[in-house]
Amino acid sequence: MPTTFATAMKNQEKKNLRHLSQEEIKNVLEGVGEKSFRTKQVWEWLWQKGVGSIEEMSNLSKDLRTKLSEQYDLYSVAIDSNQRSSDGTMKIKFRTHDNHFIEGVLIPAEDRMTACVSSQIGCSLTCKFCATGTMGRTRNLDFDEIFDQVVLLNKLAITEHARPLTNIVYMGMGEPLLNYSQVLKSIDRITMPDGLGMSPRRITVSTAGISKMIKKLADDEVRFRLALSLHAADDQKRRRMMPINDENNIESLMEALQYFWDKTGNRISFEYILFEGINDTVQDAKNLAALARKFKVLLVNLIEYNRVEGAAFTGLHFSKMEKFKGLLEQYGINATIRRSRGKDIDAACGQLAIKE
């Protein structure tokens, strides 16, 4: 049953147990007369087993669980509802502890099982082709709320498909680099050996393009992969679709990506939605190839446009997408066409937006 606002505020008086370090948890446990070995048990429940409540920590005594619950909560994200596409994709509506909603997507394929997760409630960017951008931003998600999405989508993958997640993409609601610290902390919990233990090479963070934050990723020596939502290879066209280009033009983005590549060697990909009559010409392909050639390890993902209500764009027919891909390949660029999944339930790229 949904938490009422009053209950949420009452619960907020409790501290978030998941925001404590191992040392802080050890001090809490010793403060109520427990041995320090309990620290490892609690940590495993939080970050390996991904429980949604203190009560689920079944190898702790009832007395200890009661003592912890008096002062702490987990403020977990829960599944509110889900929809299944005709192609097997599942869109999940998650509810936060303070009664906000976000969406995530589970995308099954023959060779992989991918979770698409959100980093913000809504988005402050106003990309003209994206439904999430019409919502505005309510707040950033905490690292544990992002972690919860992965845990819940992994459970669904096992339940529905008898296999766990193989890949995670930060391509849901929000701009990950505008929630920098919490996104990186969530990836730390997902990849650490005493967490979910997933390889960072299986994680891709997608950004609309914030040059200084891309450089910060490099300075922080991240190990995950980076995807730039480019969608146009010249400033004039990109600016019309993505206002963020005013402060992060293509030249500055290429400089930042070069810095990222030189420091990390991590794979970079360009995401490029093809729009009829906007970014689909031979010259557009030449411009895109010129940018892509700057990086040795780069993939261009050509993406179908998924219609968004109120947006004045038309997607490219698949045969024309194939032709554009062929042009890139002639110029020596590794390109692939990413067919949309979950279009019939508004779960495809650019379609995530909470509808009451």
Side-chain angles (χ1 to χ4, degrees):
M1 190 166 181
T3 307
T4 65
F5 180 77
T7 303
M9 290 302 98
K10 183 178 179 181
N11 287 345
Q12 279 286 51
E13 296 171 9
K14 297 181 181 180
K15 296 177 182 177
N16 191 329
L17 186 63
R18 295 193 293 182
H19 289 185
L20 302 186
S21 66
Q22 283 196 58
E23 185 64 27
E24 289 168 329
I25 291 174
K26 177 174 174 284
N27 292 337
V28 168
L29 292 170
E30 289 178 346
V32 293
E34 293 288 336
K35 301 291 186 182
S36 59
F37 76 88
R38 294 287 182 199
T39 305
K40 184 179 178 183
Q41 291 179 321
V42 171
W43 194 259
E44 286 176 349
W45 282 114
L46 295 178
W47 303 117
Q48 287 186 320
K49 300 174 184 177
V51 292
S53 69
I54 292 171
E55 188 56 37
E56 294 174 59
M57 300 179 183
S58 55
N59 63 349
L60 304 185
S61 69
K62 179 69 175 174
D63 180 57
L64 175 54
R65 281 178 280 165
T66 299
K67 287 178 180 176
L68 287 175
S69 296
E70 286 172 355
Q71 296 185 58
Y72 296 94
D73 201 338
L74 304 190
Y75 299 110
S76 301
V77 166
I79 292 178
D80 183 80
S81 61
N82 62 61
Q83 295 174 271
R84 188 189 297 272
S85 167
S86 58
D87 64 23
T89 301
M90 294 182 71
K91 181 171 74 170
I92 314 303
K93 183 180 180 182
F94 296 108
R95 186 181 68 250
T96 66
H97 69 91
D98 54 350
N99 272 333
H100 293 296
F101 296 97
I102 50 176
E103 290 181 337
V105 184
L106 179 66
I107 310 166
E110 208 170 287
D111 61 340
R112 64 182 60 198
M113 184 70 64
T114 302
C116 175
V117 299
S118 294
S119 56
Q120 297 179 311
I121 301 173
C123 185
S124 59
L125 305 184
T126 54
C127 299
K128 305 303 182 186
F129 48 82
C130 181
T132 314
T134 65
M135 296 174 59
R137 186 190 70 88
T138 300
R139 67 170 174 84
N140 287 339
L141 291 174
D142 286 338
F143 71 95
D144 46 313
E145 294 176 308
I146 301 171
F147 176 89
D148 281 344
Q149 295 172 67
V150 174
V151 168
L152 292 170
L153 288 170
N154 187 53
K155 287 179 179 177
L156 270 177
I158 293 169
T159 301
E160 299 288 332
H161 301 280
R163 53 196 176 109
L165 296 177
T166 61
N167 296 77
I168 300 168
V169 293
Y170 283 66
M171 296 183 182
M173 293 179 162
E175 166 52 57
L177 299 192
L178 290 179
N179 189 15
Y180 188 93
S181 65
Q182 298 302 303
V183 164
L184 262 60
K185 199 167 184 179
S186 72
I187 292 173
D188 179 59
R189 292 294 187 267
I190 291 164
T191 59
M192 66 186 185
D194 58 351
L196 299 184
M198 178 172 275
S199 167
R201 303 297 182 191
R202 295 283 185 169
I203 298 173
T204 300
V205 172
S206 177
T207 176
I210 304 170
S211 301
K212 67 178 181 180
M213 303 311 292
I214 291 172
K215 289 183 176 179
K216 183 166 173 54
L217 288 175
D219 290 336
D220 287 339
E221 299 180 343
V222 301
R223 294 181 295 150
F224 51 78
R225 293 173 170 178
L226 185 65
L228 173 65
S229 294
L230 186 62
H231 309 315
D234 71 75
D235 284 318
Q236 187 176 2
K237 289 185 178 183
R238 193 169 190 266
R239 188 179 299 116
R240 288 204 299 266
M241 293 187 285
M242 304 176 71
I244 192 174
N245 198 77
D246 284 338
E247 296 181 1
N248 297 269
N249 65 22
I250 291 174
E251 182 181 359
S252 75
L253 288 173
M254 294 307 108
E255 180 193 350
L257 288 178
Q258 188 66 59
Y259 186 82
F260 178 86
W261 164 249
D262 290 343
K263 278 218 160 190
T264 70
N266 296 351
R267 194 183 80 174
I268 298 167
S269 60
F270 287 166
E271 308 293 305
Y272 195 93
I273 299 174
L274 278 162
F275 300 104
E276 180 80 52
I278 295 178
N279 62 352
D280 59 340
T281 67
V282 173
Q283 187 60 52
D284 288 316
K286 287 181 179 178
N287 292 344
L288 179 56
L291 296 180
R293 274 196 294 268
K294 294 176 181 289
F295 309 102
K296 295 177 183 177
V297 184
L298 187 137
L299 174 68
V300 175
N301 286 316
L302 302 174
I303 304 170
E304 286 183 276
Y305 172 60
N306 304 297
R307 187 167 291 280
V308 171
E309 187 177 344
F313 294 95
T314 301
L316 212 59
H317 189 275
F318 186 70
S319 62
K320 292 183 179 180
M321 293 183 73
E322 287 276 17
K323 185 177 179 181
F324 193 90
K325 175 176 178 284
L327 286 172
L328 292 178
E329 289 172 342
Q330 285 178 30
Y331 302 136
I333 303 304
N334 182 16
T336 186
I337 294 176
R338 204 168 79 198
R339 300 303 297 264
S340 292
R341 301 285 302 275
K343 285 193 289 188
D344 54 332
I345 56 170
D346 291 337
C349 179
Q351 290 186 318
L352 297 185
I354 299 299
K355 297 178 181 178
E356 299 300 333

